[in-house]
Each structure stands twice: as C-alpha cells, then as structure tokens.
Amino acid sequence: MKRELQYQVGDRTVTVIVERDGDRYRVRVGDREHLVQARLGDRGRIDMGVGDRRLRAYVARKQDRTYVGLDGQTWTLTKPDARRRRSGSPSAVAGALTATMPGLVLDVLVAPGDVVIRGDTLVLMEAMKMELRITAPADGVVVAVGCEAGQVVERGKVLVEIGDGKQN
Amino acid sequence: MKRELQYQVGDRTVTVIVERDGDRYRVRVGDREHLVQARLGDRGRIDMGVGDRRLRAYVARKQDRTYVGLDGQTWTLTKPDARRRRSGSPSAVAGALTATMPGLVLDVLVAPGDVVIRGDTLVLMEAMKMELRITAPADGVVVAVGCEAGQVVERGKVLVEIGDGKQN
Amino acid sequence: MFNKILIANRGEIAVRIIRACQEMGVATVAVYSDADECSLHVTLADQAVNIGPPPPSESYLRDDHILDAARRLGCDAIHPGYGFLSENPDFVEMTEAAGLAFIGPPAQAMRVMGSKIAARAAMEDAGVPVVPGYQASGDDQDLMQAAHALGFPLLVKATAGGGGKGMRVVNDPAELSNALASARRESMNAFGDDRLYLETLIQQPHHIEFQVLADRYGHVVHLFERECSVQRRHQKIIEETPSPLMDPALRQRMGEAAVAAAQAVGYVNAGTIEFLVDEARNFYFLEMNTRLQVEHPITELVAGVDLVKAQIRIAAGEPLPFTQEELSQRGHAIECRIYAEDPAHDFLPAIGAVLQSVEPVGPGVRVDAGVSSGDEVTLHYDPMIAKLIVLGEDRADAIRRMDWALHHYVILGDVITNIPFLRDVLAHPRFVAGETTTDFVDAHFGDWRPDDSPPPDMALIAAALSEVMNAYTAPAPDGAQVDGDPFSPWRTMSGFRIGA
Amino acid sequence: MFNKILIANRGEIAVRIIRACQEMGVATVAVYSDADECSLHVTLADQAVNIGPPPPSESYLRDDHILDAARRLGCDAIHPGYGFLSENPDFVEMTEAAGLAFIGPPAQAMRVMGSKIAARAAMEDAGVPVVPGYQASGDDQDLMQAAHALGFPLLVKATAGGGGKGMRVVNDPAELSNALASARRESMNAFGDDRLYLETLIQQPHHIEFQVLADRYGHVVHLFERECSVQRRHQKIIEETPSPLMDPALRQRMGEAAVAAAQAVGYVNAGTIEFLVDEARNFYFLEMNTRLQVEHPITELVAGVDLVKAQIRIAAGEPLPFTQEELSQRGHAIECRIYAEDPAHDFLPAIGAVLQSVEPVGPGVRVDAGVSSGDEVTLHYDPMIAKLIVLGEDRADAIRRMDWALHHYVILGDVITNIPFLRDVLAHPRFVAGETTTDFVDAHFGDWRPDDSPPPDMALIAAALSEVMNAYTAPAPDGAQVDGDPFSPWRTMSGFRIGA
C-alpha cells in the first residue's frame, strides 16, 4: 500500500507519500522521510510516535479542507486536487453569499470580475451591534454584487456571488 | 422508511419500531408511542426532544451489545436476532477464555456441559495482588475446562472453552 | 427555596445557571430560539420551550414569550443571566407583576444605575468619587465654559449613550466646538436624543471592578476586585483577580466605596461596581452592572463563593451567610475569553462551524463553554466560544497555567479564534509585570499578526495518516463491518510496538 | 530547578505530574509498558521510552530500565508517583548514586517508616501516640501473657505483614491460641517470616490522615486532615476534607503529632501520616505513606497548595514558601475513586473496554483520569478509571456537587463501574451525617445491589434512533460520501423544529 496526498499550504503544494512498513508508516514529506507509528482515537485524535517523541494531534476535515491541531497551533490545509476536480463542475462553485441576518452594509470591497482568494473580505456589515466581515469561502471570481454601502439588507439577501472563473 | 429493532433486556425481548414522520420520528416501544426529535452528536451522543422535555443520551455499540447512558444510569442491551444469526456459525461462538496474565487459580466454578449465561463467573483467579473473576462473555455451554484450583497458570493459558451448545 | 426556575438566556451562562439549580435541587426550564434547538443548555434543563426565531428581538428579548413559558410550566422565579433582558427594569416589574421572583436587583435600583446621569448624582450623594465632569446644562455655551474649567483632555459623552456612540475625546480647546457638534449628530442618529455632558479624560486608567452581594435585609459585602484593563474594542478579553495594582489600603477604600454605592440605591443581589483608577491611584466610579458579570468565575475561585447560588438564595429571601470579615482572597485567578474573531483584522467576528472542540482539562482549569463540537458560531449572538478560567497559587503560576490551558485548547473548523493572540498577550512583558491599562492592547498589539510559518512535517503527517487510516477502516453503508467495529470510537491500523 | 524529569509511573498520576512539570517549564520523559503505548501520559510527555512488557515486574518495577532511560535522555530527577517504586528505599539510593535527584523522602526516612516495628518505636520515642500493643517478643507464651494485659478484642499482626495477610482479630481469649498458629502459618507462607506482634483492636475507628510537607532545612508543616473512613477491601473509595469529626482542638493536636512524626525520622518532601481515631476521639499513629497520596487533590483544593509542584520545588532545594500559620482550609472537597469493579460482587475488578467515557465538566469539578474512550482496563494494573474530585462551599454543597458529577459521568462499555454504588453511599444517612467509620461499607452496603429496573422507553429509543440514524449516514468504504461529510463529528437526520 502506498498513498500519495497533496496539500496546499499558502501558495505552496506539499506532497506527502505514505507507505506501510511493518507496523509503522514510512512517510515522505518533500525530501524528508519519517518512520511513524500511529493510532486513531476519538474526536479526530491521532497519536503518533517518532523515535522517543510522542505527539497527539487532532484532525478534522470538511469538504476540501483539512484542519490540524498540533502542539498548541492549528493549520488549515486545502487539497489542490479537490479544487481541480471541482472546477469541472459548475454546481460546486462557491456560489452565493447571503446575509444570515438583517444588517447595514458598511462597505463593499469587490466588484464583478475581481479575483478573490479564500479569506478575502468582500463586504463589511453591521448587525447586532457588531461589525462583520463577509469573506470569500474559497478562491474564485466575483460574478455579481448584490448590495451597496449604506444599504439595509434583509436576511437571505444575496450579497456577493462567486464563481470558479470558468466560463460555463 | 420504517425500521423494527429488537433488544434483549434481561430475559425480556422489547421491540422498537422507528418510523419517520416529517422532521420527527414516531417510535413505538411495546404498545407505547412517542414522537421524538433527534440529532446525533460526537462521542456517541444523541439529543432527543419529546414535547417540552429534552434529553441527552450516549450510545455505544460493540458486536451485538448496545450500551446506553441516560440521566445518570447505563444499560446494556443485547440483540436477540444477532444471537440467532450467530448460532448457525460455529466460528462465532464465544470460544476460549485465556489468562491475560500469570496468576493463581483460586477456584473453578464450572464443569464441561454446564450452561452459562453472559456474566456468570467461571473462574476465580488471583493475580497482581487482586482477586479476579473470569466471566462468560456470552451465553453458551462449557466445552472444556483447562485449569484447576491451586494451579499457577501462565499468560495465554486456556482456562475455559465455551461453545454455543450446538453439536457441530 | 424556589421549586422551578426559568433561565431567560442561552449559551455558557444558561448552562452555568442550570448547573447551580441542579446542585440545589431546583427544577429548571430553558428557553431557546430556533438556532439553539440542540444547545447544551436545552438538553441539560428539565424542560425547554422554543420562544422564536434566531434574532434576539424575536426570541430572547421577547419578554411576553418568556413570561408565558414561565407561567405555563409553573416556574416561581426567572434568572436573566447577563445581556438580553437582564438589565431591563420593565421586565423586572412584569416578572414580579406575574407573581414570579426576579433573580436580580429591584427595578428601581436598576433604573438609577441604568441612567448615567442619575447614577452619577446618586454616587456623588453617597460620597463615592466620580470622574470630574459637568452635566448641569446641555447648552453649547455652558459646556464650553465648563470645559475650560475642567481642563483638557476631556471626554464629550452622550447622555443617552452607550457602546462609545456619541463619545469624543477632546485633547485641545480648539477641537471642542467640532466635537460637540459631531457628538450631538451621532447621538441624535443613534438614540434620538442629542443631550451631552463632559468628563475629565482619565488617561491610561486601570479598569478595576468590585463584586458586591447584598441581601434583602440591608447587608452588603464586597468580594474584592477584578482587574479588567485588557480590552479590545472597549470589551474585556482577559480578567484577573487580585489586581496587580492593588494594595490592602486601596482595596479597602475601593471596597467600602463599592458597598456604599450599592447601599445608596437600595441594591439587592449580585452586582458589579466598575471604577477607573488613574496613575496616582485615584479611583472614580464608572458604572454599575446590575447583574451577574461575564467574568464572575474568577471571583468565585479566589473568594470561594458560588455567585450564582448566592444570587438564587438571596432572591429566595435568605440572608447573606457571611460577613465582610469572613471573606478572603486566596490564590490568583485569570479568565481568557475565547472568541471566534480575528485579532489580525480589528477583532472582527470570524464565525463558522466548530468541527471539533477539545477543551483543556486538569487541576485548576475551568472551562465555561457555550459552543461544542458540531456547533456553529453564528451572527445572531455574541461570538464567544468559551470562558477559559484558571486558578493558580500566585499570579506567575496562574499565567503559566493559563498558557498551558490555551496551548491544549484545540478548536478546529472555519472559525478563527483569538487563542494565539491571547498567548502572546500573556507573554508580553507589560502583562507579566501587571502594568496593563485600558489602552494596552491598542498600544502594543495594534499590528499583531499570527505566526504564519508553514506547518511542521508532523502536522502534514497527522493530516495524511488520519486520511489514510480513516479511509481504510470506514464501514460499508449497509452497516457490515469492513474492519473491526464501525461503532467503536477507536479504529486502529498500526499498533504501537516497543519503540526503543 | 530541574531541566528534565523522568516520571516513573503511568495513568492519572503520571499525567498529573507531567502537567505540573509543563507549567513549571520543566521537560518530561514518560516511561511505558507495551500495554500503555498509546496512553495519555505517553503522548503528553516530551519524550517517551518503552521499558518492557505489561506486567509491572517486567516494566514499571524495572529500576534498571528506568535509570537507563533517565541517564540516556539526560534527566536530572525522577518522580516516582505512588505505588510501583515510590516506597522502595533501594531505588532512592540507586537514583542518587546515578547522580539524579529522587523527588521524595530520603532513603533512611523511607526505611524507618516502611518497617512496622521501627516506625512504632520511632513514634513512641517522638511522643506520637501509637495503638497500645506488644512486640517485645515473638514467643507464643509471652504473646499470650501480653494479650491478657492488653485486653480483648485485639489484633494479631505479622511483623512482615501487609494487605491484611497474617492478621487476625481475636475477640475472646479462647480464640487466641488458634489465631497465633494460623497467623504464623499464613505469614510464613506469604512472607517467609513468622514473627508476630499484638495490638489493641480499635473498634469502629475513623481513618484520618494528615498531609505533611517538609523541606531540606528542617521546616515541616501539615496541610490538615483527610477523612478516609469509607473503605472497601481495606482500600479507600471516598475521601474528604475537612473531616466531619474534626474540631479545631483535635486538629491542632493531630497536626502537631503529624509534624512531630515527620521530624522524628528526618522526613523531607510530601508525606502522609495515617491515624486511627476512636469513639473517645483518641488518635493513634497507624503508618506513614512516604510518597504522594492518591487522594492528594482534596487537600490541594481546600488548602490552595499544589502538592506536586511543592514536591518538585522541595527536591530542587527550595525552602517551603509558607509557614503553618499562613495555611488555612477553605471550602469542602470530596474525592470518589471511579473503579472498574462490581460492588454487588465483593468489589471484584470488572475489567474490559471503555468504549466511551464522557467526563463531567463544570465549576468545582476536577477529573484526574487515567482511562479515556477507547482504552482498555486490563488486569495488569489497578482498575481505577479516574478520580472524581469536587470542591464545594461546605460539606452539603460538596455532596450535592459530587452527586451531580457522578450523575453526569458517562462510561459505556464492558466494564462495570462503581458509580451507582458511590451515589448510594453519598445518599446514605450516616454518610450525610458525617458518621462514617472504617466498617461503614461492610456494615451498611454488604448486600448492596444495583437498581435492576428495566430501562425506560427513552433509553431504548436512544439505542434505536442512534442505530437507525448512524446506518443512514455511514460513509461508503471507498470514502465517497453517502450523506454529507463522513468526517464531520455531526451527522444529522432530523433537525429539531419549534417544539411548542
């Protein structure tokens, strides 16, 4: 058994190759090799051993994102292959961002045609006495903007639509 | 969708019939009917609502046993149908009970041919300065006894063999 | 004692109150909006009633729905928690008119303390120091004259104000006229009221508050101070007690002032007097919070008193079980508020799903959580995930314990949390020295950015192994077992062997 | 302070010690047997070393393996926890000979207290009351004469004894001769030594112990008492502090005796003096445990002192940071030991898999757990699953809080736990009245049986719905998603709707 996995870390793609080796795993990350013992626990826990060192990590996945908690830090990894697969399917684009509660639009930071990266702020809103950022849930292109600064929007109102940049 | 499940509770078999009814479940337990909302959580949790009442239960399963924790109590339910299924397959009998550590056999409470119920004490041992009960992991019939009182047994020694009572 | 209490709140504070009731043998009724149907507080309570859609104005602020539920289910008291209806004197009166006990202060005390002007006046009468200021007239001419008498810098404040709206810092006399005009406009827009008053600006103050408890029989005690100077967006994020600024003499003077403040308004139940303390260690009454405070747990740990149980007992007519002399502080407690927010982007809420929340457990660590694995942090409510509270032997011990707890708090999902930020604040030399003032976060963490170094190999390996091992052991859809027991919480592929 | 400490133990106590080290900034090395490869203590430590097969004699008792590991990884101290090597003076000497610090008392103090006869003699010299007895001669004739002088009932005890072996209660002179003979046989068989001595039998005693701390500079303090009378099979299952029996005068006398006992043997570090207290409130030295005690957390909560950190600081040469006068008790703490055992069958271990363990969390609740979901309770080690500890404002509050915590502790799997039994003990009128003596469990719970009423409908419904909903949402074996995200902790089939 040998599995190759790829993770997007910022703008870098890292390849991880996992291979069974007796009761351990031989894992290559880039040009480094590690011999790892591992056991899955509940709540997304994975216990690992590398030589003397023992580590307890937590992993959660949702769609193409993998969240890892290790040694007091967390990372979000994305799957480049998942994104490639998805680009063939227009139904899987990030789609419309709607207002989840009534509020006041403070600022709209994007216009149709803008390329956005996951996490980019698209719209600033005020609701429930708090300022809120509406951010891009994935990389894509702004297809339409449905609100403007100063506008009071109802719940469910489409604020921004994002596509995957392909012409369908 | 309608599912019928059976649980063995002591020497009683209870039938539970589950049926979807809109966003709830209509559940019949014997001749009582309950309209229940339910949601699964992590760690085996199930949140339920019946009218005003809200309940949080925990459920774990292992082979034919279901463990339920509710309102400060726990119950072990077994599946009568699983037991019936298993009785046709000699490979699925409870099998041999072995000593998991070296110790002294204090008493042997069964003999070949004895019918035993899950939980019955078969052998009393002393190991690690503690007295230990070796109990029947399932209902069955004692096929063989591999130890006697006063004997010091090694780890892995077969203490008692249990069969399902069928002649194969 | 009461038979059944309705908790008119949600999240961690509702859970906290239900727990106290359960330990006291009192039945509980939870209320919930559509967004909270599966929340912990709903399943912990004996009964639960849906009171409307997610927006608070349609559920948790619906006094009519809440009182209906309380009456229908036979409650004899309502605990309001904090926020929502907790400081609404009309709700107190409605509750009492319905024949139920309100677990909080009398409406009249709440009204006085709810008005900036009335509270200032009451405190001045009671001899409690207030920030020097001027409120005798709203006329611009009078205000400008008074401003020169007060001196600069000063604060222009809206009489009807709150949350910083209609507030202006004026450093220089030349700015005053414009500041008055713009504050009036903003206050009129926000509150439909353009009255203003002036206060001396206390520069770089400590925000220190005193917890008080008062029974129905005129006994009032304080349970010492909480240091709450670490704030962002005018909201506390780290609180501790004792305050590193405090000495026994100042503690005694401020404690006496806090008791006097509560007595001046006929206060009953738990309340908090907030003070500003300037560089010269002068203290000034800021306001009174006429309810349980978010940060009440640190007082509970250091004073050894359960404040929620005390509230319930007081409301049930019991006298205070202790005198001021019998109370003492022991150890050092810190609370960090864990928020779904982005400290690198002005602490804006960064909401979403919490896929996995693994809370730290251990001696001296308390987590009052409102969000658990599988929950969603939504826009409807405060984006606080939990309060993380530690008790240590002394301040240094408590800081190290808090760092340990933050290190071991795993929250995975779309939310961004302030955990890395909090750890950096705890490690800052000024925090370590106990020299935090209310401008501390702005002054020292304005350009804070999270560590964006790439993940170590072991994080990538954890992700990859978790994926490979999970795929290998997943059960078939018909429930047949591919590898072991699909319902077991453990699925093992590679056991550990002797590693030496 | 030390740089790196090896923890020569497993389970909850190893976790407890690692945590203290982490908070103090000290690196840790865990050791583990094959059975513990994935235990919490192994993954929490910075490094971990396998020291052998599961039986303790092949791993946790292998002083050579442990010292090798400590040297190889550059440790400068060893913490032994409790049990295993913790009371072995030879191991202390080996550790010190290897140039490492032993976090515990000097070998000599351990040796004296480890011998029943030597300890009795040292205590008598120090003026600490011991149980009246006779040990001057082992000759039957002398013993019988001495017995008549002591009076009946009395205890025949093996000089080399332990765990009740070679011990006989003699109620009547006529039984004495047989008792001596059979005790000699048993002691010879068990210990290869047939020496005996006599003690007056203290009837229905309270078992009360005092925690002491001593530094290297001759300062000794006590941290008050623990009431440990609730026992089964001569082992404590519920401990509390303060003791309901205690009054200030008795506490002072017993505390002074405890300090004198420690001083008499040149004790250093944390230790516990166990006393028996009779109906007339006379107290008698029973033995000293020269190590950290299982039940140390209740003292930590009520005295506000971290005993593990104190142990480490003392071993590193620091003086005690407090005097006797600075120590005080506040609140009331109770510990329940959660065992995998069957209280209806003589408390025999009832081991197996723990499929799911959901620990109670909340204010005033501490869980020191050695077993978590997916772990197996095996025959190799003590079948204790966890220590459940609560701190309340007073005894009644602590009892209610403990009942709450037991109620909310969910342990599912093949193990039988003593949780229902513990709840019944807490509710017993004699426990509630604080009138527990060491025969309490035997006298009042000898025929205890668990509630065997059939499960309520909702338990069966939970089982059925869990099965139906899980089957519907299980992922396919190739990892394709049948319904939603198989890696999500939440799989929802039927959302809640407005229930009113």
Side-chain angles (χ1 to χ4, degrees), chain A residues 83-125:
Chain A
R83 196 152 28 147
R84 275 202 303 278
R85 253 209 318 275
R86 208 171 55 188
S87 64
S89 145
S91 67
V93 299
L97 295 169
T98 57
T100 52
M101 63 188 311
L104 173 69
V105 176
L106 298 175
D107 204 357
V108 178
L109 306 172
V110 291
D114 285 3
V115 173
V116 294
I117 306 291
R118 189 173 99 82
D120 280 0
T121 301
L122 310 176
V123 175
L124 281 177
M125 279 187 65

Side-chain angles (χ1 to χ4, degrees), chain D residues 113-124:
Chain D
M113 286 303 192
S115 153
K116 288 181 188 305
I117 301 298
R120 255 185 91 93
M123 293 305 101
E124 283 183 311

